[in-house]
Amino acid sequence: MSQKLLPVEPFDLSIFGATGDLALGKLLPSLFHRWCDQQIPESSKIIAVALDNIDTPAFRELVRQRYADNHEGHLEEDATWHAFAERLTYVRLDAVDPSADWEAFAAAFGESERLRLFYLALPPSLYAPVSENLARHGMNVPGSRIVLEKPIGSNFHAAREINQRVGKVFGEDSIFRIDHYLGKESVQNLLILRFGNWLFEPIWNATGIDHVQITVAESVGAGARAAYYDRAGALRDMVQNHLLQLMCLVAMEPPSDLEADTVRTEKLKVLKALRPIRSEDMSEKVVRARYSPGAIKGQAVPGYENELGHSSQTETFVAIKAEIDNWRWAGVPFYLRTGKRMSRRYSEIVIQFKPVPHDVVQADSGEIHPNRLVIRLQPDEGVRLMLMTKDPGPGGVRLRYVPLNLSYADTFEKNYPDAYERLLMAVIRGNLGLFMRRDEVESAWRWTDRILQSWTDMPNSLFNYPAGTDGPAESALLLAKDNREWFDENRT
Ligand code: BG6
């Protein structure tokens, strides 16, 4: 089937924090790609807002240079690029200052009937003041939408305050809270894999499943975002949003349809059923750690504190044994793990099924391993179902554990838009299904806050792992205590 691009209506999109890493590294290249695919109507405008003292031509050049640094082609001679650059206007504005002059900003927009979008690529502490200033200057005309990056706040109370204050300016249906994992092709496929196949659902529960592992491993360090990251840490940066969202998609009940609120309500039920981790259970269920100097692919890598240039108690790795208190998942742990500077970059969900109830083969034929569904989110997206088979040929029964392999690259000959491209177009189309609802965000924070509080009470609970490894020994122990181990494709 050929790829279908749904056209979007003309829009005026303003990006606050337009000279920052997110805007230059992700948002503007994503918009350019959608432009190249002719999905963006010509009359659309992109209004870039930041504090830098530059003008529109200098901003366009900044975008071009940054794009050329990360992609093939320099674009100087590229007519498509020049046509896209024409859509960009730069406005210098301190959007937090209530007394700033918003005239140039307001003038950059088209008629008020056009779809207006405000993307806050800013620290969460600025979401409420900037929204309030948008209202003060009459920019939030009916139908306009605001986009907020994760994490929304740094704890439950901060998130609730942001949600309340932004909610006074924009209705819940006009607030698009980004978790870019929800825009990934392979994450969207989770719903279809679960609910488009009869095969899995009857055993997708405590009867059929032994446990679930969710790993989001990165080989990069905190890098240019160190100032933000050191305040956040892996729990706030990755677990509260990306990993919990993935867990929800694996654990939720079948929705009656794929409407935004139907799916979001089912995800919310999972978050609400998450068993709070009490401080006395922390050492049994949570591991936090920080990378020390090591090597990745033969290259020496400094430790987190060396990179930062000062001492820090921030975790760059966290592993958690999470439990969901409902009928479907009683007794089925969800092991969550994420870290920076690990041996390689990959994100994967492993569903480990129960062992067969009775072994019919003789011991010298080999071991029967439980089935495993390995959903690779990135890179090399795909799904592998690990099955037991007989090694073909004479000489008795010899068992083999082999994958039934669905590789996206081999099966589908097409390039699909990356997460931000998809999410930006979803905002313009008003598709809330790929975004987090207020109650989901707040529920996720309630659960995460207890862990954060325990860490504050037990500041010594930070382990070390050398950069380039799979985390500290304590992470392996977390599973070993339950007679399990992290799945490693190189070992299995
Ligand atoms: C972001 C985090 O949300 O996700 C980053 O803030 C992290 O710290 C990034 O590096 C990982 O995203 P991806 O798509 O590369 O897995």
Side-chain angles (χ1 to χ4, degrees):
M1 208 201 304
S2 69
Q3 220 168 333
K4 205 168 109 205
L5 288 178
L6 295 177
V8 297
E9 63 178 290
F11 58 86
D12 293 342
L13 163 67
S14 60
I15 302 178
F16 292 81
T19 52
D21 215 45
L22 176 66
L24 292 176
K26 290 279 184 201
L27 306 181
L28 288 153
S30 296
L31 289 163
F32 177 50
H33 291 158
R34 294 298 87 227
W35 174 262
C36 293
D37 274 352
Q38 300 175 349
Q39 201 176 8
I40 295 185
E42 278 195 15
S43 65
S44 303
K45 295 178 178 184
I46 299 167
I47 301 134
V49 182
L51 290 173
D52 302 58
N53 204 0
I54 53 176
D55 58 9
T56 294
F59 178 73
R60 290 175 180 167
E61 181 52 16
L62 190 64
V63 178
R64 189 198 62 75
Q65 269 174 13
R66 184 63 189 268
Y67 186 89
D69 289 346
N70 297 327
H71 301 82
E72 277 172 29
H74 287 270
L75 304 177
E76 280 109 331
E77 310 291 325
D78 186 327
T80 314
W81 157 255
H82 287 288
F84 174 73
E86 287 290 305
R87 318 265 80 74
L88 304 177
T89 306
Y90 180 82
V91 178
R92 181 172 185 268
L93 172 67
D94 181 352
V96 181
D97 177 1
S99 63
D101 183 356
W102 282 57
E103 216 170 289
F105 177 71
F109 285 77
E111 323 78 67
S112 60
E113 294 74 42
R114 269 164 72 99
L115 176 59
R116 279 189 186 180
L117 310 161
F118 307 103
Y119 197 122
L120 307 198
L122 298 170
S125 56
L126 305 184
Y127 294 167
V130 172
S131 309
E132 286 158 1
N133 280 339
L134 282 166
R136 193 168 288 128
H137 294 279
M139 297 302 302
N140 59 331
V141 294
S144 47
R145 297 174 192 154
I146 190 159
V147 188
L148 308 178
E149 262 297 325
K150 61 120 277 247
I152 308 287
S154 51
N155 57 36
F156 169 73
H157 289 291
R160 193 173 56 176
E161 189 193 329
I162 291 169
N163 283 331
Q164 272 167 354
R165 287 174 62 187
V166 175
K168 287 196 177 132
V169 178
F170 294 91
E172 180 62 25
D173 285 355
S174 306
I175 303 177
F176 290 71
R177 297 181 191 84
I178 293 238
D179 179 319
H180 78 277
Y181 266 59
L182 295 180
K184 288 183 190 274
E185 184 64 45
S186 48
V187 174
Q188 292 200 351
N189 187 40
L190 267 175
L191 289 180
I192 305 306
L193 189 72
R194 279 196 62 194
F195 305 124
N197 295 295
W198 176 237
L199 196 61
F200 300 118
E201 195 49 29
I203 50 166
W204 203 265
N205 50 40
T207 309
I209 293 179
D210 178 75
H211 74 278
V212 176
Q213 302 182 9
I214 302 181
T215 298
V216 178
E218 297 185 90
S219 53
V220 293
R225 297 164 69 237
Y228 148 77
Y229 191 83
D230 198 46
R231 273 180 279 116
L235 188 72
R236 290 188 176 94
D237 185 49
M238 299 293 287
V239 178
Q240 188 271 344
N241 32 80
H242 303 327
L243 276 90
L244 288 186
Q245 285 291 321
L246 293 178
M247 195 191 75
C248 286
L249 293 173
V250 173
M252 70 187 209
E253 294 301 313
S256 55
D257 55 43
L258 291 185
E259 289 301 311
D261 273 332
T262 322
V263 174
R264 299 197 294 181
T265 299
E266 292 305 337
K267 287 194 288 162
L268 177 67
K269 287 183 199 161
V270 176
L271 292 166
K272 286 194 158 168
L274 261 179
R275 185 181 304 170
I277 298 185
R278 301 176 306 175
S279 52
E280 56 268 40
D281 296 332
M282 284 289 288
S283 57
E284 283 294 304
K285 296 187 177 172
V286 182
V287 175
R288 72 192 287 244
R290 176 187 55 199
Y291 58 87
S292 49
I296 299 181
K297 292 193 185 135
Q299 294 281 320
V301 172
Y304 178 68
E305 290 186 315
N306 310 91
E307 261 178 34
L308 215 58
H310 57 78
S311 64
S312 163
Q313 286 296 303
T314 300
E315 81 286 354
T316 60
F317 175 97
V318 59
I320 301 179
K321 176 180 176 181
E323 287 151 297
I324 301 172
D325 283 332
N326 63 20
W327 273 45
R328 183 185 284 265
W329 297 114
V332 181
F334 282 68
Y335 298 101
L336 315 177
R337 161 175 74 155
T338 185
K340 295 224 183 266
R341 289 285 192 227
M342 293 178 64
S343 56
R344 63 205 161 97
R345 171 181 186 254
Y346 75 103
S347 301
E348 201 164 70
I349 299 173
V350 179
I351 315 288
Q352 168 101 35
F353 293 94
K354 288 265 168 79
V356 289
H358 171 66
D359 201 345
V360 293
V361 293
Q362 290 173 349
D364 61 359
S365 300
E367 195 187 339
I368 296 193
H369 299 283
N371 298 126
R372 215 176 244 153
L373 183 68
V374 181
I375 305 165
R376 173 57 77 93
L377 306 176
Q378 64 188 26
D380 313 325
E381 292 99 320
V383 179
R384 273 174 303 150
L385 180 60
M386 302 297 296
L387 299 172
M388 292 309 305
T389 57
K390 177 184 166 297
D391 203 6
V397 174
R398 288 180 308 275
L399 298 181
R400 288 275 301 277
Y401 192 46
V402 291
L404 204 59
N405 204 347
L406 165 68
S407 146
Y408 279 29
D410 295 346
T411 311
F412 308 107
E413 284 172 29
K414 58 187 172 198
N415 292 324
Y416 29 82
D418 100 336
Y420 274 99
E421 295 178 39
R422 186 193 305 273
L423 292 172
L424 281 160
M425 294 303 105
V427 176
I428 297 164
R429 280 203 297 276
N431 174 8
L432 282 157
L434 301 185
F435 302 85
M436 295 182 292
R437 205 168 57 191
R438 171 181 178 160
D439 45 10
E440 282 181 81
V441 174
E442 292 180 7
S443 258
W445 272 124
R446 274 187 196 280
W447 185 76
T448 324
D449 268 7
R450 280 193 81 136
I451 301 175
L452 288 167
Q453 186 55 50
S454 298
W455 284 344
T456 312
D457 301 339
M458 295 184 293
N460 297 332
S461 57
L462 188 64
F463 299 105
N464 282 310
Y465 60 101
T469 63
D470 290 336
E474 288 73 11
S475 157
L477 269 179
L478 182 78
L479 272 72
K481 281 184 280 199
D482 297 341
N483 284 325
R484 298 182 174 114
E485 58 185 350
W486 291 108
F487 171 68
D488 178 348
E489 63 176 2
N490 301 320
R491 241 190 355 239
T492 311

